[in-house]
Amino acid sequence: MKTNTSESTSRSTAIYELDGRPPITQAFPLGLQQLLAMFVGNIVPMLLVSGTAGLSTAESTLLLQCSLLGAGVATLIQAFPIKFGKVQIGSGLPVMMGLTYTFLPICISVSVNYGLAALFGAQLIGGLVSIIIGFALPKVRRFFPPIVTGTIIVSIGVSCFPTAAYNLAGGQGSPDTGLAYNWIIGGIVIVAIMLCSGFGKGLVNAAAILIGMVAGYLVSVVWGIVDFTPVAEAAWFSLPKPMAFGLEFHMDFAVVFILLFFINAVEMTGDFTVSATGGLNRQPKNSELQGGIIGNSVACIFSSFFNCFATGTYSQCSGIVALTKVCSRFVMGCAAVTLVVAAFCPKLSALLSTIPNCVIGGATIVVFSMIALSGMSLVSRSRFTSRSMLLCGTSLALGLGISFAKDTLAGAGEYVQMFFGESSIILVAGTALILNILLPKDGVDKVVEEEMLAEIRQAAD
């Protein structure tokens, strides 16, 4: 009896240990909770790009299929890192990976104007260079205090607002744009998400966006605006086709992607820190941060060949770890395996491709607003001093202002228009970095910087 009690206690506490291996009856539901929290966010970039770029149903289905595969592989690399001597590929921390929104504006622009082959080629080059970023990141973390990273994240959310609004209205360029049923169904999605987030508990709260989209989808089916023909025609099982769109290499796009990979690495550092401090009650080690960035670089290289966009950590999943203290890598592995298995079922991807634009728009209105406000939460750590407000405000006004008024760069040439006009994040990040170095710090600013440097020192091996 004592042995059984000991085994039972060990199994019950395994979910709270990084290397714990709880029984599958525990691990799978907890992994499903993580999957539900990131699933919609993972497929939305593909839905937005396929809709904006005017891809065929078969191409959209393939992209969705590959988005599941890419997220699953990226998560497995993070959960179960590979070591080559002192080099670690993967963080070994309890994080979930999925398509990152850092690249979304430029992905939409490149796919519409130059095609997916150019996008995946630039991503491949960026992923290779990002390996170097992984080695260098621990040494340059001090140049990215909360005021800089927060400002960048705010710009990511705000720059996606027009895309969300167009989808809420039915999709940019669609003949149905602006019709009443789009606004009604999108409004139902938003209300459902608000109700689940405000009054739901446990899994209902964690899956609020998924529940909201399901509600909107069911209304769309009753309304008669969903065509199930692609689902009927899709196979039950199919291997994702590598390089289905080809690879084209343009160095101008590659430079943009390299800069975005750096920004993505900074964001991921924040999520690694949330998972480590919240779930493990410690700062992440430099080897974990370095391995996490290198691991994601390898995953993005894989994704470039398998028609998937760049991946990154999902903050909501790190938040679940911090809230529940469930930090078993085995739990994350269960969620990742589920994603990989789902990637081999085109019927599921075809079903996802039938989601109307207005449903996507309702969900992304909430998602992008939360991204923007999570950035503001980071900015607030700088305590809204005159310096922090000047840095944040100027960076956002310059970067977002130019991206919303692209014609102001008409005389600067195509490269400059693409580099700064299509991706406000680059200009926002550059301005924030320069101002952070140049603007003098007062007493409060110095205290905030010392707090950040203390956190970095604690993270050293």
Side-chain angles (χ1 to χ4, degrees):
M1 286 295 291
K2 290 183 179 179
T3 302
N4 291 338
T5 302
S6 177
E7 289 181 359
S8 176
T9 303
S10 176
R11 284 174 176 266
S12 65
T13 59
I15 60 173
Y16 303 110
E17 300 172 359
L18 186 61
D19 296 318
R21 289 182 62 87
I24 195 67
T25 52
Q26 270 188 312
F28 182 78
L30 291 170
L32 182 63
Q33 175 177 254
Q34 290 281 3
L35 191 151
L36 290 175
M38 58 76 64
F39 189 81
V40 173
N42 183 65
I43 65 172
V44 162
M46 289 301 195
L47 291 170
L48 290 174
V49 169
S50 61
T52 308
L55 301 181
S56 67
T57 301
E59 290 173 328
S60 299
T61 298
L62 177 61
L63 280 182
L64 288 165
Q65 192 179 357
C66 292
S67 73
L68 302 179
L69 177 64
V73 169
T75 302
L76 286 173
I77 290 174
Q78 295 295 340
F80 307 105
I82 304 169
K83 291 187 178 181
F84 296 97
K86 293 184 178 181
V87 178
Q88 179 173 307
I89 301 176
S91 65
L93 293 172
V95 293
M96 283 293 293
M97 308 295 291
L99 273 59
T100 173
Y101 288 80
T102 302
F103 294 82
L104 183 57
I106 196 67
C107 282
I108 292 175
S109 175
V110 173
S111 62
V112 170
N113 297 307
Y114 302 94
L116 288 170
L119 189 158
F120 291 128
Q123 180 177 301
L124 176 59
I125 296 174
L128 290 168
V129 176
S130 183
I131 294 175
I132 301 173
I133 294 174
F135 285 106
L137 187 66
K139 298 180 180 179
V140 298
R141 286 176 68 190
R142 63 176 298 158
F143 296 107
F144 289 87
I147 184 61
V148 173
T149 54
T151 300
I152 293 170
I153 294 172
V154 170
S155 75
I156 293 171
V158 174
S159 65
C160 292
F161 285 176
T163 301
Y166 273 120
N167 277 278
L168 184 63
Q172 189 172 9
S174 169
D176 297 332
T177 300
L179 295 184
Y181 71 80
N182 290 309
W183 296 103
I184 294 171
I185 295 173
I188 290 172
V189 174
I190 295 173
V191 170
I193 293 172
M194 296 297 177
L195 290 175
C196 291
S197 296
F199 300 99
K201 304 293 183 183
L203 199 57
V204 172
N205 183 279
I209 294 173
L210 179 64
I211 294 171
M213 290 190 71
V214 169
Y217 188 79
L218 292 176
V219 174
S220 301
V221 171
V222 174
W223 211 297
I225 62 173
V226 178
D227 181 11
F228 289 106
T229 303
V231 182
E233 295 175 349
W236 280 104
F237 175 83
S238 175
L239 295 173
K241 183 182 178 182
M243 296 182 63
F245 301 92
L247 290 172
E248 291 180 8
F249 299 101
H250 302 269
M251 284 310 299
D252 46 1
F253 299 152
V255 171
V256 177
F257 270 76
I258 290 169
L259 292 172
L260 291 176
F261 266 108
F262 189 84
I263 294 169
N264 191 38
V266 174
E267 291 181 46
M268 288 177 61
T269 298
D271 288 332
F272 288 140
T273 302
V274 171
S275 289
T277 55
L280 303 173
N281 198 30
R282 64 169 174 81
Q283 287 286 327
K285 301 175 182 178
N286 275 344
S287 61
E288 292 171 333
L289 295 178
Q290 189 178 84
I293 303 305
I294 294 173
N296 189 56
S297 303
V298 172
C300 290
I301 293 170
F302 170 87
S303 293
S304 300
F305 288 106
F306 279 88
N307 321 301
C308 179
F309 299 159
T311 52
T313 48
Y314 267 45
S315 300
Q316 59 267 46
C317 295
S318 296
I320 291 174
V321 171
L323 180 66
T324 64
K325 309 301 179 184
V326 175
C327 56
S328 167
R329 293 184 295 159
F330 186 71
V331 170
M332 302 298 174
C334 287
V337 170
T338 303
L339 283 170
V340 172
V341 171
F344 292 94
C345 180
K347 269 203 185 296
L348 173 60
S349 298
L351 180 64
L352 295 174
S353 70
T354 64
I355 300 174
N357 286 325
C358 56
V359 175
I360 299 169
T364 51
I365 284 287
V366 179
V367 170
F368 295 151
S369 67
M370 294 308 296
I371 291 174
L373 289 175
S374 68
M376 289 305 300
S377 177
L378 275 176
V379 171
S380 69
R381 289 184 58 185
S382 295
R383 300 168 194 176
F384 289 109
T385 63
S386 297
R387 178 181 183 275
S388 65
M389 288 192 290
L390 182 63
L391 186 156
C392 179
T394 303
S395 301
L396 291 175
L398 184 62
L400 293 174
I402 289 178
S403 71
F404 291 155
K406 299 181 182 67
D407 56 329
T408 57
L409 298 174
E414 181 183 0
Y415 180 76
V416 174
Q417 290 183 58
M418 184 275 299
F419 199 76
F420 294 115
E422 299 295 346
S423 182
S424 62
I425 305 167
I426 301 296
L427 193 51
V428 170
T431 305
L433 277 170
I434 293 170
L435 290 179
N436 184 57
I437 294 172
L438 296 180
L439 290 176
K441 301 178 179 66
D442 61 20
V444 175
D445 295 313
K446 290 178 180 178
V447 169
V448 172
E449 183 175 306
E450 283 300 318
E451 290 175 351
M452 183 199 71
L453 292 175
E455 291 178 0
I456 293 176
R457 285 192 290 269
Q458 290 176 16
D461 288 331

